Amino acid sequence: CKGNVSVSLMIVTLYLFAVYNVFCILCITSPLGCLVNNQKTILKGIAMSSAVLLIIAFSVIAPLYANPVFAESDLPMLVVSKSVSGPLFYVYALLLLMGIFGTSISSFVSIIDYVCVKSKSASKNKFIIIIPLSISAFILSRFGFSTLISILYPVSGYIGCVALILLTINYFKQIKTSK
């Protein structure tokens, strides 16, 4: 996100951020739904996680909106933390690095596991997947973090929008056929 952030772009960005996160947690939360017997517990969980997501989204967007110069950086929140405090900068940088590394590893392992479940040859020899995936990740890393995020997050958000619409349609079709 370079330059000034317009209000309409900020609304789309917040929406895509929310949809991206919802889309990512579906595979985690879906199996848990059948383990919870009480509908109120599910609704409380949805309300609490939505509130936390909104707080995180606004805490990230607010400083960028208040000072658009921060948005010109590859890692704007790192610049914000540096402007607040030197020690906070190092703590935030470490947390950010751990978050990026953790996300990368979990995504890498998830892709390998998914392909191994779908392909018998890949499950016998995981290097068939690991080597091309590693090479692809290395090549993509050459484009820079902000470039990848500016492309992948919105694309994932739009895919998530389509997926959520299709899930909603399927949900109502299931209700209609069960009557």
Side-chain angles (χ1 to χ4, degrees), residues 4 18 20 22 42 47 49-50 55 68 71 75 78 80 83 85 87-88 99 107 110 113 116-117 125-128 147:
N4 290 339
Y20 170 78
V22 167
I42 293 173
S49 58
S50 297
I55 290 168
L75 298 169
L78 198 57
V80 170
S83 72
S85 161
L88 179 63
S107 298
S110 296
D113 286 346
C116 287
V117 166
N125 185 3
K126 291 186 180 184
F127 287 107
I128 293 172
T147 303

Side-chain angles (χ1 to χ4, degrees), residues 6-29:
S6 69
V7 174
S8 61
L9 181 61
M10 185 169 58
I11 291 169
V12 171
T13 303
L14 285 170
Y15 179 73
L16 289 177
F17 176 76
V19 170
Y20 170 78
N21 283 288
V22 167
F23 186 62
C24 288
I25 64 168
L26 279 177
C27 60
I28 297 167
T29 56

Side-chain angles (χ1 to χ4, degrees), residues 7-170:
V7 174
S8 61
L9 181 61
M10 185 169 58
I11 291 169
V12 171
T13 303
L14 285 170
Y15 179 73
L16 289 177
F17 176 76
V19 170
Y20 170 78
N21 283 288
V22 167
F23 186 62
C24 288
I25 64 168
L26 279 177
C27 60
I28 297 167
T29 56
S30 295
L32 295 177
C34 60
L35 298 175
V36 179
N37 295 329
N38 187 347
Q39 186 76 13
K40 284 185 180 182
T41 304
I42 293 173
L43 294 175
K44 284 179 187 178
I46 291 170
M48 287 175 27
S49 58
S50 297
V52 168
L53 183 60
L54 283 172
I55 290 168
I56 291 170
F58 284 115
S59 69
V60 168
I61 298 296
L64 302 179
Y65 187 72
N67 189 351
V69 173
F70 291 139
E72 294 175 9
S73 170
D74 280 349
L75 298 169
M77 294 310 293
L78 198 57
V79 176
V80 170
S81 69
K82 189 172 189 176
S83 72
V84 172
S85 161
L88 179 63
F89 167 76
Y90 291 108
V91 169
Y92 188 79
L94 180 64
L95 290 173
L96 189 61
L97 184 63
M98 289 170 32
I100 292 169
F101 183 73
T103 301
S104 300
I105 293 297
S106 65
S107 298
F108 193 78
V109 170
S110 296
I111 292 169
I112 292 169
D113 286 346
Y114 178 79
V115 171
C116 287
V117 166
K118 297 292 182 183
S119 168
K120 289 182 182 180
S121 62
S123 65
K124 291 178 184 173
N125 185 3
K126 291 186 180 184
F127 287 107
I128 293 172
I129 273 302
I130 292 173
I131 292 172
L133 191 58
S134 298
I135 292 169
S136 299
F138 177 75
I139 292 169
L140 288 172
S141 74
R142 308 313 309 155
F143 290 105
F145 184 74
S146 64
T147 303
L148 290 174
I149 293 301
S150 68
I151 294 168
L152 295 177
Y153 266 35
V155 168
S156 297
Y158 290 125
I159 291 170
C161 286
V162 171
L164 288 175
I165 289 167
L166 292 174
L167 285 170
T168 304
I169 290 169
N170 185 53

